[in-house]
């Protein structure tokens, strides 16, 4: 492996015992380029051609208050496959806030768990007091990579192949862009939403294949809400108004405390893709972090995602002392997320719901070529009880109900794992699941590929990374041909 290290960033972070600043969440401050990655086991298939990109949380400076893992600065990790070989590189996302704290040499903003008045500068996004760290999500559209923040911020742009900084997306509106923009590979369009604390509280937009914003419309809500994801079918986009949001009485005093209003139904907004009248459908109260896919089935619109049975769980006693509340809110086993299906009857206005899988799972991915269309296979992660750490994968056959599970060895933790279609793929599951793995037993990280046609067999190869990465949230796979086609458009 040939490794070139870039000049170091300025950091003021001190050693400590915070559960999400150690172990698999230990921040990484090193940026490198690495060629000819070493294969630990198996062989890199010659029929995979593209990039796997993962966003991670890396706290650079000593926190002003109580650190939350979603406060860390965005670092993008990329592994590129071609002709049976792999290369790697990683870069911090140079957000306005990252650059300001580099100049100051310290933290300037408080975090999600801090009281009002902690930040020393005005904040960004829906919350208003946080740092726009762009550390939540990544998507590839029109040949560019966008890194975004879940509380709404700028869409920071990088080259998906080189990770060069390309500035801020010019199409992003003044209220910013939430994480979980959606890309329709069939049309080349990017769909997005944002939310805020001022009326109408939510907007929805479309960016065409050339990178021009063509639709931007209000989605009026009763008050400030906390949507996290959206979905789309061939003709419609689906947004949500869920009964988990900041307590209005406390919000008037500047306190951002989340509450589950169990007597308020969940609501889903069905919007024609390029704008038009909004139709609302009621459903059982819950919270949903992530959707899988949506598609049209006759007069019905089908939506799959992860239904949280207890989105504001009680403190996780017996976990890390002093962090019981935070540990529960980050634990899939505490908020009880399960794969779920909603059916919205566009003719009658009725909603039907059903459970698709009884196990605790989340962070679902599927073959992006089937996004917005009927599909059969989905891939979820399992988690270590009590922690925001992924310890396995599940392949769901949504036609038969069969589920196959792979569990990692204790001490090994995965990343969200997108599906990478095999070159000249002949079927929906003809390809690989791609994930980074943090090995706490050895203090290393690696990349694994799982052949989805032979899922239960486990990884077909393991590839060493040049350093141990930190954990984080979301990732994306982009075929090289898709990137080059987007650039041409």
């Amino acid at each position: 492996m040939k490794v070139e290290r870039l000049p170091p960033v300025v950091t003021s972070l001190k050693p400590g015992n915070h559960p999400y600043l150690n172990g698999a969440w230990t921040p990484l401050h090193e940026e490198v380029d690495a060629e000819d990655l070493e294969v630990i086991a198996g062989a890199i298939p010659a029929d995979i051609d593209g990039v796997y990109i993962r966003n991670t949380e890396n706290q650079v400076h000593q926190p002003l208050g109580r650190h939350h893992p979603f406060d860390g600065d965005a670092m993008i990790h990329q592994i590129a496959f071609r002709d049976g070989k792999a290369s790697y590189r990683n870069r911090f996302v140079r957000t306005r806030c990252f650059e300001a704290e580099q100049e100051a040499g310290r933290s300037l903003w408080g975090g999600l768990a801090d009281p009002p008045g902690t930040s020393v500068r005005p904040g960004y996004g829906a919350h208003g007091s946080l740092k726009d760290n762009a550390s939540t999500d990544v998507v590839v559209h029109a040949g560019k990579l966008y890194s975004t923040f879940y509380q709404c911020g700028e869409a920071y742009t990088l080259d998906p192949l080189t990770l060069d900084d390309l500035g801020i997306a010019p199409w992003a509106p003044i209220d910013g862009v939430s994480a979980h923009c959606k890309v329709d590979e069939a049309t080349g369009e990017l769909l997005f939403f944002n939310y805020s604390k001022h009326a109408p509280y939510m907007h929805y937009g479309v960016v065409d294949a050339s990178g021009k914003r063509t639709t931007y419309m209000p989605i009026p809500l009763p008050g400030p809400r906390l949507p996290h994801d959206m979905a789309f079918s061939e003709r419609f986009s689906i947004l949500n108004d869920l009964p988990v949001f900041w307590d209005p009485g406390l919000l008037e005093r500047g306190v951002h405390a989340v509450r589950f209003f169990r007597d308020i139904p969940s609501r889903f907004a069905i919007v024609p893709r390029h704008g038009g009248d909004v139709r609302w459908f009621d459903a059982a109260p819950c919270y949903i972090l992530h959707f899988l896919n949506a598609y049209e089935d006759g007069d019905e619109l089908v939506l799959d995602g992860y239904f949280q049975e207890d989105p504001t769980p009680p403190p996780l006693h017996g976990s890390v002392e002093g962090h019981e509340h935070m540990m529960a809110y980050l634990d899939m086993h505490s908020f009880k997320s399960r794969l779920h299906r909603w059916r919205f009857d566009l003719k009658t206005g009725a909603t039907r719901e059903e459970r698709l899988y009884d196990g605790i799972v989340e962070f679902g991915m599927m073959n992006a070529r089937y996004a917005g269309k009927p599909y059969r296979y989905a891939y979820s992660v399992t988690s270590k009880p009590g922690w925001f750490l992924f310890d396995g994968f599940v392949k769901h056959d949504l036609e038969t109900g069969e589920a196959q599970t792979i569990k990692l060895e204790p001490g090994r933790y995965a990343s969200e794992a997108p599906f990478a279609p095999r070159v000249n793929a002949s079927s929906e599951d003809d390809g690989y699941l791609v994930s980074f793995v943090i090995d706490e037993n050895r203090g290393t990280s690696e990349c694994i590929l799982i052949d989805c046609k032979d899922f239960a067999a486990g990884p077909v190869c393991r590839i060493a990374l040049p350093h141990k990465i930190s954990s984080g949230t979301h990732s994306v796979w982009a075929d090289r041909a898709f990137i080059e086609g987007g650039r041409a458009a």
Side-chain angles (χ1 to χ4, degrees), residues 291-305:
F291 297 110
L292 252 175
N293 196 20
Y295 60 90
E296 296 153 38
D297 182 17
D299 291 329
E300 290 188 320
L301 185 57
V302 180
L303 172 66
D304 294 343

Side-chain angles (χ1 to χ4, degrees), residues 70 180 228 289-292 306 332 335 337 361-365 379-381 388 390 416-417 472-474:
F70 298 162
H180 298 301
H228 187 73
L289 268 176
H290 303 117
F291 297 110
L292 252 175
Y306 297 89
M332 286 159 47
F335 54 73
S337 54
V361 289
E362 238 285 1
F363 286 81
M365 305 294 271
Y379 307 89
S380 302
V381 300
F388 185 20
F390 306 152
E416 183 183 61
T473 50
H474 293 291

Side-chain angles (χ1 to χ4, degrees), residues 63-350:
L64 296 178
R66 292 175 60 86
H67 177 72
H68 188 282
F70 298 162
D71 300 337
D73 290 289
M75 176 180 280
I76 303 295
H77 302 263
Q78 177 240 70
I79 186 168
F81 297 95
R82 191 168 215 178
D83 299 327
K85 296 181 180 180
S87 62
Y88 166 88
R89 62 189 61 215
N90 69 305
R91 297 289 188 275
F92 277 107
V93 180
R94 260 64 181 183
T95 65
R96 300 179 195 269
C97 297
F98 177 88
E99 295 289 14
E101 290 187 334
Q102 283 292 288
E103 183 178 348
R106 66 185 184 98
S107 290
L108 299 173
W109 287 274
L112 187 63
D114 289 330
T118 303
S119 296
V120 299
R121 290 192 184 181
Y124 293 80
H127 186 289
S129 298
L130 302 179
K131 172 171 60 176
D132 176 7
N133 57 23
S135 65
T136 309
D137 196 24
V138 280
V139 297
V140 173
H141 172 252
K144 296 177 180 178
L145 171 71
Y146 296 114
S147 180
T148 50
F149 180 46
Y150 74 101
Q151 289 271 1
C152 301
E154 306 281 8
Y156 285 93
T157 312
L158 297 86
D159 185 300
L161 297 179
T162 66
L163 298 189
D164 289 344
D165 185 349
L166 300 179
I168 294 171
W171 50 261
I174 192 168
D175 281 336
V177 178
S178 175
H180 298 301
C181 305
K182 300 295 179 179
V183 176
D184 185 347
E185 293 192 7
T187 66
E189 292 172 312
L190 178 144
L191 318 173
F192 72 91
F193 70 100
N194 60 33
Y195 58 99
S196 67
K197 289 186 286 191
H198 56 82
Y201 305 109
M202 184 191 285
H203 288 85
Y204 159 74
V206 180
V207 179
D208 69 16
S210 71
K212 178 182 178 182
R213 194 174 78 204
T214 58
T215 301
Y216 190 62
M217 61 175 283
I219 309 292
L221 300 176
R225 295 294 188 264
L226 292 170
H228 187 73
D229 200 358
M230 64 172 290
F232 69 91
S233 68
E234 291 184 298
R235 293 186 296 150
F236 300 101
S237 291
I238 307 171
L239 299 112
N240 58 82
D241 172 12
L242 304 175
V244 179
F245 48 86
W246 291 312
D247 185 297
L250 294 174
L251 194 58
E252 289 179 0
R253 307 205 304 265
V255 178
H256 295 80
V258 176
R259 180 179 165 192
F260 182 21
F261 296 84
R262 298 175 184 270
D263 56 342
I264 300 177
S266 299
R267 300 199 306 153
F268 295 87
I270 311 300
V271 188
R273 178 177 293 200
H274 299 108
D277 293 337
V278 180
R279 292 187 64 186
W280 288 96
F281 290 76
D282 286 358
C286 72
Y287 192 69
I288 305 152
L289 268 176
H290 303 117
F291 297 110
L292 252 175
N293 196 20
Y295 60 90
E296 296 153 38
D297 182 17
D299 291 329
E300 290 188 320
L301 185 57
V302 180
L303 172 66
D304 294 343
Y306 297 89
F307 184 110
Q308 290 188 13
E309 297 180 358
D310 191 5
T312 55
L316 194 59
H317 295 297
S319 62
V320 181
E321 186 177 354
H323 299 283
E324 293 89 351
H325 181 81
M326 179 189 71
M327 299 298 284
Y329 274 58
L330 292 167
D331 174 31
M332 286 159 47
H333 296 266
S334 291
F335 54 73
K336 301 180 178 67
S337 54
R338 291 182 167 92
L339 186 54
H340 197 78
R341 174 166 287 174
W342 296 260
R343 284 184 172 269
F344 308 113
D345 192 317
L346 302 178
K347 204 169 189 178
T348 67

Side-chain angles (χ1 to χ4, degrees), residues 333 360 381-385 391-393 405-410:
H333 296 266
I360 300 295
V381 300
T382 61
S383 71
K384 178 180 178 179
D391 64 359
F393 311 98
T405 300
I406 296 172
K407 279 290 189 179
L408 299 179
E409 300 168 11

